[in-house]
Amino acid sequence: SFCFGLDADWKPRTARIGSRSTEEINKRTNFYEKFDWAAMERLLIDSGLLRRKGNKLEHDQSRTLSMLVLLAIHDIMKLTPLLPVVGSDVKEFHGKTTGETIVDHDMALSYVLQHHPALLPSFAALDRVQKESIKFTHCKLDYNMGWLVQGEAP
């Protein structure tokens, strides 16, 4: 399903199913046959999204939820009306002082995660461990979701 998608019933497609061009099918088949799936499995295990249970793999629901929440919120501060203003109770945040708008979207999200988490219901509903994981990933590591999605690294 990763390479060929899902059908209307959410069942994995094969290369032969669907209305794709021969060129598209060939590209997808080539990727499917040559991709290092063992490396992908290691990445997902190392990230905590998958875990071994006996001789099977299962996804960690809590970790997966955290990743989905991060995916949902990671670029919301690109919407100018949502940019936060440093509050009088904070005084200073990464060089911005009380009354200043935080215009960098990543820094703005970090501010909201640290000082106003209730403004993001999907984040606020997470347990403490999940919240700390997201804050560490976003606020401390300057993690870029695009790196994972596009297979890039700093």
Side-chain angles (χ1 to χ4, degrees):
S1 60
F2 187 80
C3 297
F4 303 112
L6 301 171
D7 66 17
D9 296 318
W10 294 92
K11 302 286 186 224
R13 294 178 191 245
T14 65
R16 292 181 269 289
I17 298 175
S19 58
R20 295 190 172 100
S21 70
T22 301
E23 179 183 6
E24 178 72 16
I25 291 171
N26 289 340
K27 285 180 182 178
R28 289 171 180 266
T29 301
N30 184 52
F31 177 80
Y32 177 77
E33 291 172 352
K34 294 184 179 175
F35 186 75
D36 186 349
W37 294 105
M40 175 62 81
E41 184 177 283
R42 285 190 307 274
L43 173 67
L44 294 172
I45 291 169
D46 290 347
S47 71
L49 294 173
L50 287 179
R51 61 180 173 221
R52 292 204 182 280
K53 189 169 187 177
N55 60 353
K56 292 185 174 187
L57 287 173
E58 63 179 29
H59 82 278
D60 182 311
Q61 292 181 2
S62 176
R63 192 72 159 180
T64 301
L65 178 60
S66 296
M67 181 62 84
L68 291 172
V69 168
L70 181 58
L71 180 61
I73 67 174
H74 82 281
D75 273 345
I76 62 169
M77 294 301 164
K78 286 184 176 181
L79 299 170
T80 306
L82 298 180
L83 292 174
V85 173
V86 177
S88 59
D89 57 324
V90 176
K91 305 287 186 226
E92 190 272 336
F93 186 81
H94 294 273
K96 298 289 185 183
T97 58
T98 300
E100 286 187 84
T101 300
I102 302 172
V103 295
D104 176 272
H105 74 279
D106 289 323
M107 189 186 306
L109 179 58
S110 294
Y111 177 84
V112 171
L113 293 176
Q114 291 176 20
H115 298 286
H116 303 286
L119 296 175
L120 300 169
S122 60
F123 177 77
L126 297 173
D127 66 37
R128 184 189 59 76
V129 172
Q130 292 170 312
K131 287 177 187 172
E132 291 304 315
S133 178
I134 288 176
K135 288 194 306 191
F136 176 78
T137 301
H138 183 79
C139 304
K140 302 282 190 247
L141 294 181
D142 292 326
Y143 174 73
N144 182 325
M145 184 63 76
W147 295 341
L148 172 69
V149 175
Q150 297 167 17
E152 298 175 3

